[in-house]
Amino acid sequence: MPIVTVQQGPRTVELKRDLVARITDAFVDAYQIPAETVQVWIHEVPADSWAAAGKLIADK
């Protein structure tokens, strides 16, 4: 059973639904497995807890 972890900033429920469906479809197509076996975990990180190039995303 594949488990996919996505780390990202907060997104709307609608966008997450679409992402999860697309990831699941990709695994079903690539591995020829039932969709029920694919798990997707979304870990949302607030902008004040994520940095790039030495600066918090919240400060950009």
Side-chain angles (χ1 to χ4, degrees):
M1 140 177 51
I3 299 171
V4 180
T5 302
V6 177
Q7 291 185 283
Q8 66 180 27
R11 300 291 192 275
T12 65
V13 172
E14 293 79 16
L15 287 174
K16 290 186 279 188
R17 281 189 186 113
D18 185 50
L19 177 65
V20 167
R22 290 173 185 239
I23 290 170
T24 301
D25 288 347
F27 273 85
V28 168
D29 291 343
Y31 288 171
Q32 298 297 303
I33 57 176
E36 295 76 23
T37 65
V38 180
Q39 295 187 22
V40 180
W41 299 352
I42 298 175
H43 179 233
E44 292 186 321
V45 180
D48 64 351
S49 297
W50 190 311
K55 297 195 183 282
L56 288 174
I57 299 301
D59 295 337
K60 290 188 176 187

